[in-house]
Structures are given as structure tokens and as C-alpha cells.
Amino acid sequence: MRVVSVEEALVPSDLQGVFDRLQARRWALAKTGPKERLARLDKLKALLLERREELADALHEDFHKPAAEVEATEVLPVLLELAHVQKHLKAWMKPRRVGAPLLLAGTKSEVHPEPRGVVLILAPWNYPFHLLVSPLVAAVAAGNAVLCKPSEKTPGTARFLAQLLRDVFPADEVALVEGGPEVGEALLRLPFDHFFFTGGPRVGRRVMEAAARHLAGVTLELGGKSPVIVDATADVDTAAERIVWGKFLNAGQTCIAPDHVWVHASKEEALLAGMKAALERFYGKTEEARRATPDFCRMVDDGAFRRVTGLLDRTVAGGARVVAGGGVHAETRFIAPTVLADVTPEAPVMEEEIFGPLLPVLRFESLDEVVTQVRAGGKPLAMYVFTQDEATVERLLKETSAGGTVVNNVVLHNVNPHLPFGGIGQSGVGAYHGEAGFKAFSHERAVVRQGRTAFTNLFFPPYRGKAPRLARLASKLFE
């Protein structure tokens, strides 16, 4: 008779049933080879390509996401990940021979990647397709059974994902459950072997607590106030255009969006003018044009709208200057792409990650000031540096910490599957993408094969005669 824990008793029976089916299948999945795993991922790719217009419609329904942004930020990253896995999975899955010290002469040592087992992927709403499917690709490539939960804030995309995954995977290999926070809480009570969460630090801590209770692995992709630094040597026009693009993509609802800009005082006015010009080129010259453009999405819900407009109102009331934008429309959850100047580190907009279309610009005279402020703000998920001075780049890399850094551009590190993507400290734990994703969902199992010749008998008890001398002699070899 199976003993049911108190925690399991608090899990709804339907969720427990989904978990049990995955758990029953996990050992069969562990024995699959690259051909079988890639066949599943090939089917996923084929159906994604077939249904990409349906995905665009779902995301437009959820928060008016432009079709071009769906293609560039939801479809393309997944296709890149799939192509990279297809090319490298066979090599990643092979046992890896490693060396051994002289004392282990006669042995062979290897590292065998093995799946973690049954894993949970909790996805966010801001990129609801990409940020669920990319880790799913890694988890399937590693041979796991997977349970996914999309965000309840994007119901159209959640429905699309549910149908897509049902049509690709057997229900006992990959399952998707929908629901709000209560479903998320119930899932955290189940003994998954690995928890993968993308979202904010508050919920991230709860996920980490759940992983600790189950002694499970955890990957947390969080966020933070990702700074941009524009020094006195930067190409200001190029910087302005790239920053505006990266910031207002997805209406600023991006975990690696430029959160705020530090600009050298000598380049401040030129940068502000360049940003205003870029904003007008991208979204329209007037507030009416920007509200009507199909190229700019909306805040995801009323709560997000109220929070970001509150930051805007309090920051302007505190003395910040609106360089461009500033308009809002509650009925459609529209907040204009807005550039703010004369912002200080104490301004309300600097208190938390903005996660919306507000771009505060702060001036500096000395790089020392920027280093101090960046350190005080914790370890961001990303840092962006615009400069022609390599010494500035090297100094910032050595004197600050961030999940990733891009020089003279923004957000590009997120689409390179050769790079690990992840945060540090409050911006995240662990990384994924490419081989880093395969490793995140794998355990590296140490295997030693003993040959005919072995020296271990020289160290067997009783510890008299030669044994103590041999042990001391062995230690001396490494002193």
C-alpha cells in the first residue's frame, strides 16, 4: 500500500494523476536515444511552422502583440534552439571520458548525462510561447518527462500551447495544465526532480523553497533593473536607435529590456534627441499616431497598467522631464513609449524593475559613479555598454556582475544558443539555452570502470605494516 504524504494530500487528484502518469513513464524515456528524442522535436517544429499564424492571432488576442514581434521574439528563438539541439544532441548524450590520477591506474572514468526525471516548467506571460517551449525543448532533449504550466494572464496563448503539445507528445511524456496561482501552488507541493521557473523574485523564492523541500534541482530565470551605460566615446545615434528598439519591444515587458540608461553628461542631450527621433521613426511622430500603430503592444492586464502609470506619475511629480511619450489610455491598457530625463537614482521609477514602456535617463560624470550605482542595484539579468573604449568594457566586466552583457547593442545574447542564458543572485539561478539547457535538465553521473589491475588492496585494513606508509607516501605525491 502506497503511503500518501501530507503534501500530496493537498494536491488535487487530477494534478496528482498527471504527475503519476509522467512518473510512470520517466524510466522508459530515460532509455531513449537521440533519434527518438529528435523525432519528437521534429514533430514539434513541423506543427509550429504549420500553425504560426494561429500563434500570432493568440498573442494579438492576449495583448496586441505585433505579428512581426511574434515572429522575431517567439518563433525565431525556438527555431534557433531546435536547430542547435538537432545538430548537437547526439554528441551531448555520449558518455565523456575524463582523466584520472596515477593512484587510479587500471580504471576508466567517464561522465554519463542522465535525465533528471520528471520536471516542472512554470512559464511567464510576457513571452508566453518562447519561454515555455525553449526550456521544454531542452528538457525533452535531455530525456525527461515534463509538466508545463503557462501563465493564466495570456489565455489565448495557453489554449494554443495546450492543443499544440497534445498533438505532438503523448500525455504521459509531456503534459500541460492551466490555471491560476492556486494551481501553481499545488504543483509546488509535488515531488518533481527539477523545477524550472521564469518570472519575478517573489515567486522565485517560493519555487526555490519547494525545490529545497523536495531536495530537487532548480533553475530560476528572474529579472532586475538591467542598466545601459553610454560613455563619452559612444556612437550616440546608433546607441539611441538600438536602445529604443530593445526597450520598447513588447512594450518594455521583457526581462532583459534596457531598464534605464546612464549617459555621460557630454552626450546626454544628443542621446535624448536621438531617442526621440528613433521613437518617432518606429512608432509615429504624434501621440495619436503612436496609439494607432499596429507595431506596439499593450500592457498585459489592468494591474500592470496601474503599476506602470503609477511609476510614471510619481516620477514626473518628483521632477523628471518627459522627453517623448507620456500618454496613457486605460480602456486599451495603452502606455505610450516614454523617455524620461532629469531622473535621479532616488526617483520612484528607479525603485523596482519597470517592466513597461518607460525609459529613464540618468547622467554621470565619472564611471566610478555608475559602478557604485550598478553594484547597489544588485546583480541584473543583463547589462548593455555603448563605448568605443575597450578599457571601459573590461573595467565594467571586472567591477560589476550581471547575468549577461552586450557591447554596443542590446538583448542579442538571448538568441545565441551557443551562450548560456541566465541570471546571478537576485536575477536568477542556473542557465539554459543550447548545451547549457541540456545540462540544466540532466544529471552528470560519474562512472568508474575497474580493470584487472587495482591498487586498492594496498590500502585495506588492518592498518599495520605497509598500509600507513603507503597512505603517507601517496599523500606526499600531491603535497
Side-chain angles (χ1 to χ4, degrees), residues 1-9 16 19-20 23 191:
M1 178 178 173
R2 180 170 174 263
V3 177
V4 179
S5 70
V6 174
E7 284 201 340
E8 283 182 292
Q16 185 67 56
F19 179 84
D20 290 343
Q23 195 169 52

Side-chain angles (χ1 to χ4, degrees), residues 180-375:
E182 71 288 348
V183 173
E185 287 292 335
L187 290 172
L188 294 182
R189 292 192 284 269
L190 288 167
F192 289 96
D193 298 293
H194 192 82
F195 293 78
F196 188 103
F197 170 75
T198 304
R202 181 182 62 81
V203 179
R205 291 185 182 93
R206 296 184 69 83
V207 175
M208 200 166 193
E209 289 169 0
R213 286 197 303 273
H214 301 300
L215 296 179
V218 62
T219 304
L220 303 178
E221 298 298 335
L222 307 177
K225 293 185 71 64
S226 297
V228 183
I229 300 161
V230 181
D231 80 355
T233 71
D235 179 338
V236 173
D237 290 338
T238 299
E241 189 170 62
R242 292 173 181 174
I243 294 167
V244 165
W245 166 69
K247 174 62 181 185
F248 298 119
L249 189 72
N250 212 43
Q253 299 167 113
T254 304
C255 59
I256 53 171
D259 182 88
H260 56 282
V261 180
W262 287 95
V263 59
H264 191 270
S266 65
K267 294 294 181 78
E268 181 184 16
E269 289 307 316
L271 182 70
L272 291 172
M275 286 179 170
K276 183 178 181 181
L279 190 151
E280 291 177 354
R281 285 198 306 277
F282 292 171
Y283 304 114
K285 292 185 178 296
T286 66
E287 284 293 296
E288 291 75 16
R290 289 192 277 272
R291 187 183 297 180
T293 180
D295 299 323
F296 187 75
C297 74
R298 302 298 185 257
M299 302 306 293
V300 70
D301 60 19
D302 292 339
F305 175 85
R306 288 192 298 269
R307 184 185 62 81
V308 176
T309 54
L311 289 176
L312 173 61
D313 292 344
R314 290 190 292 125
T315 300
V316 172
R321 171 167 54 102
V322 176
V323 175
V328 301
H329 188 250
E331 186 177 340
T332 57
R333 303 194 305 272
F334 171 80
I335 301 175
T338 300
V339 177
L340 300 170
D342 301 331
V343 178
T344 67
E346 296 74 34
V349 77
M350 295 299 292
E351 293 172 356
E352 60 184 84
E353 184 180 5
I354 298 168
F355 228 69
L358 311 181
L359 182 58
V361 178
L362 303 89
R363 71 179 69 89
F364 73 91
E365 298 283 352
S366 167
L367 198 60
D368 293 341
E369 178 186 356
V370 178
V371 169
T372 299
Q373 292 291 342
V374 170
R375 288 176 178 173

